[in-house]
Amino acid sequence: MSVERAPGERRQLALMLAPYLAGLVGLVLLPAGVTLALAFAEYDLVRAPAWIGLDNFTELAGDVVFRKALTNSLVFAAFAVPARLLIALGLALLLHRRAVLAGTARTAAVLPTAVPEVAYGLLWLWLFNPLYGPINQFLRLGGENGLTIFGRTPPQWLTDPVDAQAAIVLMSLFTMGEAFIILLAVRRALPPEVYELAALEDATSWDVFRRITVPLMAPALGLLLLRDTIASLQVSFVPALVVTEGGPPPYATTYLSLFVYRTGFEYLRYGYAAAATVVMLALTLAAVAVQWRMVRRAERVYGL
């Protein structure tokens, strides 16, 4: 049923929408169009852009550093996105009730997300220091000769390629405050009558979680999964730049975002960086499309 709006009301709505549309055009659509155009050109800020067709994309296909950055980004997303979502869900289910110190615990869960990214990276640079960092100092407790209690060398967070990748994932797990707040609000909004009925039926905690909580929270979980997948290609930039500087060799923590930054702003190959950005966008859209199909299928299964 359509609702007719008075001309004055339509003008008010248009005026309210105008700042958003201006920002969308000026900050999203125009930069996206320029990036797409530069992807097919050679440009270094000195000479005028020169059209080279698909040469940038052809070069990307054979670029060893780009392939390494692409692999690193996919691995990071595969581990960090579901882990962040599971931790946020677990904290939301644990802290949704009113209890002693629950408010303090909620604040502690959100606080890392509010810390500026560079400051957050510098903090973890100290935590990951292999010699005097608190993490490795804790792991050495009970061990001898600098080894852990299991007789193994503590992780070399800044010098070993695998440990460095794990460090970036670990850093990302503590910045799930937004997802936690959303899931906490969704959980507290669920009807208590459903859980009271499950208690009368003597349902186990696992059955309640699997058959009631997850299906009811599935729409929010699906949207957060899509959002975190999109953001995963950006959130690794500052940690990789500040903490590991893209290393250790050979490019262990060089992600697509860092590859684009260095290609454009250090090597001044803006056309090549734009082509990498277009590829990054295409991969993100493909991943989101796959996840969207999974979410819709889950909604049909649960009847949502």
Side-chain angles (χ1 to χ4, degrees):
M1 179 179 177
S2 60
V3 179
E4 289 292 334
R5 299 184 184 274
E9 186 178 0
R10 288 198 294 267
R11 283 195 298 269
Q12 285 184 338
L13 292 175
L15 289 174
M16 294 173 62
L17 191 60
Y20 170 78
L21 292 177
L24 178 64
V25 173
L27 300 177
V28 178
L29 297 181
L30 284 179
V34 172
T35 299
L36 182 60
L38 287 178
F40 300 94
E42 184 178 355
Y43 183 48
D44 58 6
L45 280 185
V46 178
R47 295 164 296 182
W51 178 267
I52 58 174
L54 296 175
D55 288 359
N56 284 329
F57 296 97
T58 303
E59 185 177 351
L60 281 176
D63 191 332
V64 176
V65 180
F66 174 77
R67 291 204 299 267
K68 180 66 175 176
L70 174 60
T71 302
N72 290 341
S73 295
L74 294 177
V75 170
F76 173 81
F79 284 94
V81 172
R84 283 160 53 94
L85 194 58
L86 288 175
I87 291 174
L89 175 61
L91 289 175
L93 297 180
L94 183 64
L95 300 175
H96 76 277
R97 296 186 179 90
R98 299 184 183 276
V100 178
L101 298 180
T104 303
R106 296 183 196 121
T107 303
V110 176
L111 187 60
T113 308
V115 177
E117 288 185 312
V118 175
Y120 185 74
L122 292 174
L123 173 63
W124 279 95
L125 184 61
W126 168 66
L127 293 173
F128 283 137
N129 188 286
L131 297 179
Y132 55 80
I135 295 179
N136 278 9
Q137 292 285 3
F138 174 77
L139 294 176
R140 291 191 186 99
L141 292 178
E144 298 180 354
N145 300 322
L147 303 178
T148 66
I149 194 173
F150 302 105
R152 304 187 63 179
T153 303
Q156 302 303 300
W157 304 106
L158 306 179
T159 57
D160 181 80
V162 176
D163 293 342
Q165 291 176 343
I168 302 299
V169 173
L170 181 61
M171 289 178 60
S172 73
L173 300 184
F174 290 87
T175 56
M176 46 74 212
E178 294 179 3
F180 164 69
I181 292 175
I182 293 172
L183 293 177
L184 178 64
V186 171
R187 175 58 186 87
R188 298 187 70 171
L190 296 183
E193 297 83 4
V194 178
Y195 292 91
E196 294 171 0
L197 181 60
L200 292 176
E201 297 290 337
D202 291 329
T204 63
S205 298
W206 172 246
D207 286 335
V208 171
F209 172 76
R210 182 168 59 93
R211 298 181 180 276
I212 298 177
T213 304
V214 170
L216 291 177
M217 298 182 69
L221 290 170
L223 289 175
L224 288 173
L225 179 63
L226 297 176
R227 189 209 66 165
D228 278 8
T229 300
I230 296 172
S232 65
L233 296 179
Q234 285 82 40
V235 297
S236 58
F237 171 72
V238 173
L241 181 64
V242 174
V243 178
T244 59
E245 297 182 352
Y251 306 103
T253 57
T254 296
Y255 301 97
L256 285 177
S257 54
L258 184 58
F259 175 85
V260 170
Y261 168 78
R262 286 183 167 167
T263 301
F265 293 97
E266 293 184 8
Y267 307 135
L268 299 182
R269 298 193 61 191
Y270 286 90
Y272 195 53
T277 303
V278 171
V279 173
M280 184 168 61
L281 175 61
L283 290 173
T284 303
L285 293 177
V288 169
V290 171
Q291 291 183 356
W292 180 253
R293 290 177 63 88
M294 294 171 58
V295 169
R296 295 303 299 268
R297 183 176 299 177
E299 289 179 347
R300 288 195 296 269
V301 170
Y302 289 111
L304 300 175

